[in-house]
Amino acid sequence: MTKTNSTADFFSRYLKNRLYGRKLTALISAALGLLSFFMYSIVMLNMGKIDETDVDKVYDASRLSGNLYMLVTVMFIAAAVLTVYAAFESFDFYLKPHYTDMYGSLPINHKYRFFADLISGYVTSVLPFSVFTLLSIPITASFAKNQGGEIYTELYGYSVLTLILGLTFLYALSVLAASITGRKLSAWACAAIFSLGAAFLACGCAVFTAACITGFKDEALAGNMCSLTPSIHILKNTLDSIVNYQPFKIDHDVLTITDGILNTSASKAVNVICWIIETAAFIIAAYFLTKHRKAERTGGAFAYKYCYHTVLAIAILTVFSVTATFFYSAGAISYNMWDMLIIAVIISAVIFAAFEISMRRGWKNFGKSSAFFGITCGVIIIGAAAARYTGVFGLREILPQVDEIESVKLQDMEFTDEEDIEKFRENHLTLLKKYGNALSTGNIEIEYKLKDGKTFTRSYQSYRDELQLLPVGLKGYKEQFLNALDNGGWIRDGYVTLKGVFGGARIKTEKFGDFVDVFLDEVNENIGNGKIIGNAGLGLSPDNDGRFARLDIYDSYTKTIEFAKNQDNLIAPENDDEIMCYHLMCSRALFDYRTENVVSFYTDIQKKDLSDEKARELISLMQEYEGSKPADSSDTLWVTCGDEVTNLYVTEENERRFKELALDFINDKLMAQADEIQTAPN
Amino acid sequence: MIKFDNVTKTFDGFTALDHLTLEIPKGSAYGLLGSNGAGKSTMLRLLTGVYKADSGVVSIGGTPVYDNAEVKQRLIFISDETAQYSNMTLNQMKKFYKTFYPKFSDEIFTRLHGFLNLPLNKKTSTFSKGMKRQAAVICAISARPDYLFLDEAFDGLDPTMRIAVKKMMIEAMTDNEMTIVISSHNLKEVEEFCDTVGMLHKGKIIFTRDLSELKGNIHKIQASFDTEVTKEDFPEVNILLIEHNAGLTYIISQGDADNDLAAVKAKGPSLCDLIPLSLEEIFIYEMEALGYDKNQLDS
């Protein structure tokens, strides 16, 4: 009786054979993992020396985390190269220039052959590295648990997990590349291009997730196509997304698991899910492409007729994006979509032509590909423009309905009253409609908690003041405001600026509560009524480098104005000795709260239109410099001046005269400006 | 039973096999003949599951071959390409074959290897074409398959090695009752091996014949007549071809040799002999008899 093997026998035997044949790869991977493990451990041992209260003594947490990122990057690059190599080695017979895929005659069917190749490559490349690197997690945890939270969270696991997930993703992507190509060079090129294409897919997934309102935070938004709303961010953020696949960025933006391995935030989970979906999609695609790959079509650059065009389209899109991003980042062109598109098309066309010529496919094919190039560019341009002018096809203006919302949160202030929620949502929509594309994503977050347990988040950067005004006027604002100050560690302190009072006067600490009572009551009652005649900056950060909120004061706020004019409630500078620092800003105000008695000066003073004698003398006392600040300049008279005249300083010998002039000048200018304060917008 | 049932295979518009139907009985040694590009290699690759037919079914023992590991463990294909083993040593090839072929015999491998004496631990990519072929033959015969398919089996082998390899194969056929299909454009090679031959031309089987029957059925008679004779002079003889050269007349006939010789002698030639025909000549005459031009077949 003839002895026969079952299908499972063939699979296991073939797998064993493939694994045995890749022992060298496995050894290298294990060695890399072991090296990674030791390097992590060394860093951990050094961590014991850190004293965060005295960062100069050894080295600080950020420096350590920087070293770690460097380490992670080096190890990731080495492991990534090995992973891609292993994937191509596993499917090597597809990538050898020969006449026919003779493996077809062997007694193993396509399905088992694919999975055996897939597993053998993974087991010999990603797995050994991962296992040895994973050993560093318990060590990390044991050494890091007594250190600061930042180090602890950075070291505890997620970077390692990122490595493993990243390598798995890369492996799947390389397998897909191998399944459609017939040469190693093409496979490497495809892997590179696909990784860029995968970034697009990740963006698409993220946008889709946002549309489904499943919880979407700033980090996720920052690297995806939602960001194209303000302008041509589709290009810039494409590069961002690509970069996100590197460990530095992965840790921070894509896959940060901030509270340990198991406790993932929604945005991070979204990215992890996107990654897993992509990985699975690549493997499924690779399986079917390999299964239906014709044995006779080997040795060419691509196993499938249309692969060349597909890869070319992704390449064009990528070159297009990278080119535009480069020019944008380098500041070579203005922040204008059409300028960028034109330059991107030109550069892409040159690179495309060079690529086509190098492939030596003949003029006939060049003509066909050129048409394809044109169509691809056209689609990109239309897509970018459509997204630009429709607010990502209306997605930007989607907000949950009032009856879906349980609460809304802005800057640690949370509102649960239905009336408040409705008004807040209304204000939010008004803001979206008012600023449209100019409302870029950023770090001011608005979070709608929905009744079904999901979270809808939007974050913005521009128009900070107006964003802060969204909840003003809501019934619960005052209570939430004070809670937010306390919960956020802000100091209950503030400044009030009224017309005629330069730089504002600081409210006495013991009077702050009274001021808030008066002010916020009037805000709730009279917001928008009358003229803006000043503003109040409420709540200071512990190191005085920022305010929690700056709210306008209208002339209808009579009690507030009365309070602010009462010198008993204020601390104000009385003589020039109290002036420790000046900021001379030409176009916009920046505040410097390095000392308690700060006088900040902001006006439209510029060299070219100086008419005031005092101002001219004041300017003449300041020196321009290039590069770093001169050694003899005074820190206390550190001066910055606007857009056209920048980087000024005052020498020690001119310091006294500068102070005298500045005080006079400030008073004169302020009185002149007092009547020019703008009225509030409707 | 190997069966091609209305099989078509095309490559980018070129039809390599055109609605081919063919049966090869189990245990036979089948020689597949045809000029370059006739479709021989394509047939073998369809038979061994390398290619998938565009239409029709290729089966062995009633089971389709393509993507069927159960069937393919009983067959081995020695192709004119050995790229799949290029990064293996002969020892690794042996292990590889043992992985897939349950009847692999270490004893046969050792015996055959001892005969050919190839390096065991040197990568086959460093082998000459002939050595690669020998290595593939050693492994294939050691695997003791039920079906052995050879594509241009003896290419690259020197005369001594050809004899040695042929001997090995004949032994294996005898010992294992193996069905063997050999493709070649060299009639002499298949003549020593095969009991049945098929002629493939432009993707179609022109004919299949039992070799002994074929050889015994066609004759060449050399005669000298005073006057030029034609076909019509021998109505009782099935003449395939009649040629005149240097005063001699060559008559190629199909049928009983003695009767045909007697019929020619009856016309009173001064010289009349039955001379042996090579298989190549037999094929050419057979083809011409079927209406194919000799020059067309060579193209």
Side-chain angles (χ1 to χ4, degrees), chain A residues 253-270:
Chain A
D253 296 340
V254 174
L255 205 64
T256 306
I257 300 171
T258 51
D259 302 315
I261 295 172
L262 298 176
N263 186 10
T264 61
S265 71
S267 66
K268 313 309 182 303
V270 165

Side-chain angles (χ1 to χ4, degrees), chain A residues 49-305:
Chain A
K49 299 174 187 170
I50 294 173
D51 178 1
E52 285 185 287
T53 58
D54 186 357
V55 292
D56 296 330
K57 204 171 178 180
V58 191
Y59 52 73
D60 62 73
S62 61
R63 198 185 303 173
L64 175 68
S65 68
N67 290 340
L68 264 170
Y69 287 137
M70 180 73 80
L71 167 65
V72 169
T73 303
V74 170
M75 298 317 296
F76 180 81
I77 290 169
V81 171
L82 185 72
T83 300
V84 178
Y85 172 79
F88 296 158
E89 193 191 29
S90 288
F91 293 83
D92 59 347
F93 200 67
Y94 293 123
L95 307 177
K96 278 185 183 169
H98 56 271
Y99 186 55
T100 308
D101 179 6
M102 295 306 298
Y103 269 79
S105 70
L106 294 172
I108 182 164
N109 60 27
H110 285 88
K111 181 168 70 177
Y112 288 112
R113 181 183 168 193
F114 173 80
F115 284 110
D117 288 340
L118 180 80
I119 292 167
S120 67
Y122 188 79
V123 166
T124 53
S125 60
V126 180
L127 209 61
F129 178 81
S130 302
V131 167
F132 282 103
T133 309
L134 276 169
L135 289 174
S136 62
I137 289 182
I139 291 185
T140 300
S142 62
F143 277 102
K145 64 185 176 186
N146 295 323
Q147 304 303 324
E150 182 195 352
I151 304 173
Y152 175 70
T153 51
E154 280 179 352
L155 295 182
Y156 188 71
Y158 69 75
S159 60
V160 177
L161 189 66
T162 300
L163 277 181
I164 296 168
L165 281 174
L167 290 176
T168 305
F169 173 84
L170 191 62
Y171 181 75
L173 190 138
S174 304
V175 168
L176 179 61
S179 70
I180 63 158
T181 50
R183 294 176 193 157
K184 279 195 176 158
L185 191 63
S186 309
W188 279 97
C190 266
I193 291 168
F194 282 174
S195 64
L196 306 181
F200 283 102
L201 193 58
C203 292
C205 287
V207 170
F208 177 77
T209 313
C212 295
I213 318 174
T214 55
F216 209 69
K217 294 185 87 174
D218 174 51
E219 297 94 322
L221 278 168
N224 65 51
M225 288 197 284
C226 284
S227 304
L228 79 151
T229 46
S231 183
I232 194 67
H233 273 165
I234 186 172
L235 305 176
K236 180 180 179 300
N237 288 310
T238 297
L239 190 64
D240 284 347
S241 299
I242 294 160
V243 175
N244 280 344
Y245 287 101
Q246 294 174 4
F248 282 106
K249 278 289 192 181
I250 289 167
D251 287 343
H252 285 306
D253 296 340
V254 174
L255 205 64
T256 306
I257 300 171
T258 51
D259 302 315
I261 295 172
L262 298 176
N263 186 10
T264 61
S265 71
S267 66
K268 313 309 182 303
V270 165
N271 287 297
V272 171
I273 289 164
C274 284
W275 240 2
I276 291 169
I277 289 171
E278 282 187 66
T279 302
F282 289 158
I283 290 174
I284 291 166
Y287 168 68
F288 283 106
L289 287 165
T290 307
K291 190 176 178 184
H292 295 289
R293 183 181 171 122
K294 287 188 173 179
E296 56 266 37
R297 195 165 282 143
T298 59
F302 294 97
Y304 288 92
K305 206 173 178 179

Side-chain angles (χ1 to χ4, degrees), chain A residues 3-5 7 10 13-14 17 93 96 98-107 109-110 295-297, chain B residues 9 11-12 45 48-51 66-67 69-70 72-73 77 79 81 84 86 96 98-102:
Chain A
K3 189 172 79 174
T4 58
N5 285 336
T7 309
F10 284 125
R13 285 175 178 216
Y14 180 69
N17 182 284
F93 200 67
K96 278 185 183 169
H98 56 271
Y99 186 55
T100 308
D101 179 6
M102 295 306 298
Y103 269 79
S105 70
L106 294 172
N109 60 27
H110 285 88
E296 56 266 37
R297 195 165 282 143
Chain B
K9 179 69 183 172
F11 299 105
D12 293 328
R45 281 164 190 180
T48 52
V50 175
Y51 292 166
Y66 186 76
D67 223 11
E70 300 294 334
K72 288 200 285 186
Q73 66 181 297
F77 181 27
S79 102
E81 275 190 279
Q84 71 266 42
S86 61
F96 192 73
K98 281 179 82 172
T99 301
F100 291 112
Y101 299 100

Side-chain angles (χ1 to χ4, degrees), chain A residues 467-598:
Chain A
L467 283 162
Q468 288 176 339
L469 288 173
L470 283 178
V472 174
L474 270 56
K475 285 188 294 186
Y477 180 69
K478 183 176 162 185
E479 183 192 347
Q480 284 298 317
F481 176 80
L482 292 172
N483 286 343
L485 281 189
D486 295 340
N487 296 337
W490 294 82
I491 298 169
R492 283 195 176 200
D493 225 333
Y495 285 85
V496 60
T497 304
L498 295 173
K499 74 177 183 180
V501 181
F502 169 71
R506 184 168 179 179
I507 299 161
K508 285 178 180 171
T509 303
E510 64 272 20
K511 298 283 186 182
F512 181 77
D514 297 337
F515 179 76
V516 169
D517 282 343
V518 171
F519 178 55
L520 292 186
D521 282 345
E522 286 198 311
V523 167
N524 283 343
E525 289 165 13
N526 298 309
I527 185 167
N529 294 333
K531 282 183 178 178
I532 295 174
I533 60 161
N535 60 66
L538 301 178
L540 300 178
S541 64
D543 55 358
N544 279 357
D545 65 353
R547 295 178 183 184
F548 181 78
R550 197 181 76 165
L551 305 177
D552 291 330
I553 298 173
Y554 292 78
D555 59 6
S556 58
Y557 299 179
T558 51
K559 290 176 187 170
T560 303
I561 295 165
E562 190 182 331
F563 188 100
K565 283 184 174 175
N566 186 344
Q567 290 300 313
D568 293 341
N569 298 326
L570 308 172
I571 304 167
E574 292 175 353
N575 56 60
D576 65 342
D577 289 339
E578 291 178 11
I579 300 171
M580 301 296 289
C581 176
Y582 300 96
H583 264 192
L584 192 62
M585 301 302 295
C586 288
S587 58
R588 68 185 70 162
L590 289 181
F591 294 92
D592 187 344
Y593 296 109
R594 283 179 290 178
T595 64
E596 283 200 354
N597 297 304
V598 171

